[in-house]
Amino acid sequence: NAGVTQTPKFQVLKTGQSMTLQCAQDMNHEYMSWYRQDPGMGLRLIHYSVGAGITDQGEVPNGYNVSRSTTEDFPLRLLSAAPSQTSVYFCASRGRSETQYFGPGTRLLVL
Amino acid sequence: AQTVTQSQPEMSVQEAETVTLSCTYDTSENNYYLFWYKQPPSRQMILVIRQEAYKQQNATENRFSVNFQKAAKSFSLKISDSQLGDTAMYFCAFMKHIRLDAGNMLTFGGGTRLMVKP
C-alpha cells in the first residue's frame, strides 16, 4: 500500500492564481481531511470529509474548496491564492479506528 | 471547542538521558483520545503514542511513555534513553471519541522542538 499520497511536493504561485492540491489514499478509508501548518505552529483543520459526496468545514476553511467524488481522492482547491496561504499542507485519512495516517505534505509558497 | 497547549517551544537533552514534554488541554468531553506526533525535518507526521481517556493505565511504546492526568487535563510525554534520531518537533493532539462524533478530526498544540545533543 502507498498509504496517503500528495502531489505536488512543492509549488510556487503568484497572488490570484488558482491551483489544486491532490490527495489520494489506497486504504479504503472513509474519513479524509486537510490541515495546514504555518511556521512554528501546529496543524489546523481546513476541511474534512466523512465519505464520498460529504464534506464539511474545519477551523480555517476560507479561501479553500474541497470535493469528494470517490473514496480514494480528496483534492483541495485554492480559488485565488493569497500570500497568507503560504504554508505546508497535509492530507490525512483514517478508517474506523482513531488512527490518522498523514501524507508527506505539500509546501506552498504564494508570492 | 477543544484547545491544546504546549508551553515549551524548545527543549534540549543529552543523548541517553530522559526528557519530558508537557501538554495540557481543555475540553468538556469525558471520552476522547490524546496523541503525540513526531515531525522530523522530513516533515512527515509520525504517530508516537496514543491514549484513550477512559483507560487509567498510562500508554507505553518502547522508550516513549505518557503521564496522563485526566483531572488535571495534562498529558506529558517522557522519552527515555534519548537518541539523536529523536530530534524533531513533537505535537500533542486531541480527538473526541469516534463513537461520539465519527467525523471528528484532530486538534493540535503548537509543538515543542526537541534537540538531542551528542
Side-chain angles (χ1 to χ4, degrees), chain A residues 35-109:
Chain A
Y35 296 84
R36 61 177 286 174
Q37 183 180 23
D38 298 319
M41 296 180 66
L43 282 68
R44 292 183 292 167
L45 182 64
I46 304 172
H47 285 286
Y48 66 96
S49 170
V50 299
I54 307 170
T55 64
D56 206 347
Q57 296 181 350
E59 182 185 353
V60 288
N62 292 343
Y64 307 95
N65 270 0
V66 291
S67 60
R68 184 99 179 269
S69 56
T70 67
T71 300
E72 294 78 21
D73 300 300
F74 190 44
L76 178 72
R77 295 182 188 84
L78 279 70
L79 308 171
S80 177
S84 61
Q85 293 179 304
T86 292
S87 191
V88 180
Y89 292 84
F90 288 94
C91 179
S93 75
R94 70 172 177 87
R96 297 290 175 110
S97 80
E98 73 280 6
T99 302
Q100 297 258 9
Y101 295 83
F102 284 87
T106 292
R107 189 166 156 240
L108 178 67
L109 175 62

Side-chain angles (χ1 to χ4, degrees), chain B residues 71-92:
Chain B
K73 295 181 182 173
S74 169
F75 183 60
S76 61
L77 174 70
K78 185 170 86 170
I79 306 174
S80 304
D81 186 26
S82 297
Q83 300 175 359
L84 296 178
D86 295 333
T87 292
M89 283 288 289
Y90 286 83
F91 293 98
C92 179

Side-chain angles (χ1 to χ4, degrees), chain B residues 45-64:
Chain B
M45 294 293 288
I46 302 166
L47 179 63
V48 175
I49 198 165
R50 72 168 72 81
Q51 175 84 39
E52 294 187 62
Y54 73 89
K55 290 186 177 178
Q56 297 202 352
Q57 187 173 5
N58 288 324
T60 299
E61 290 286 343
N62 301 315
R63 297 183 294 108
F64 299 88

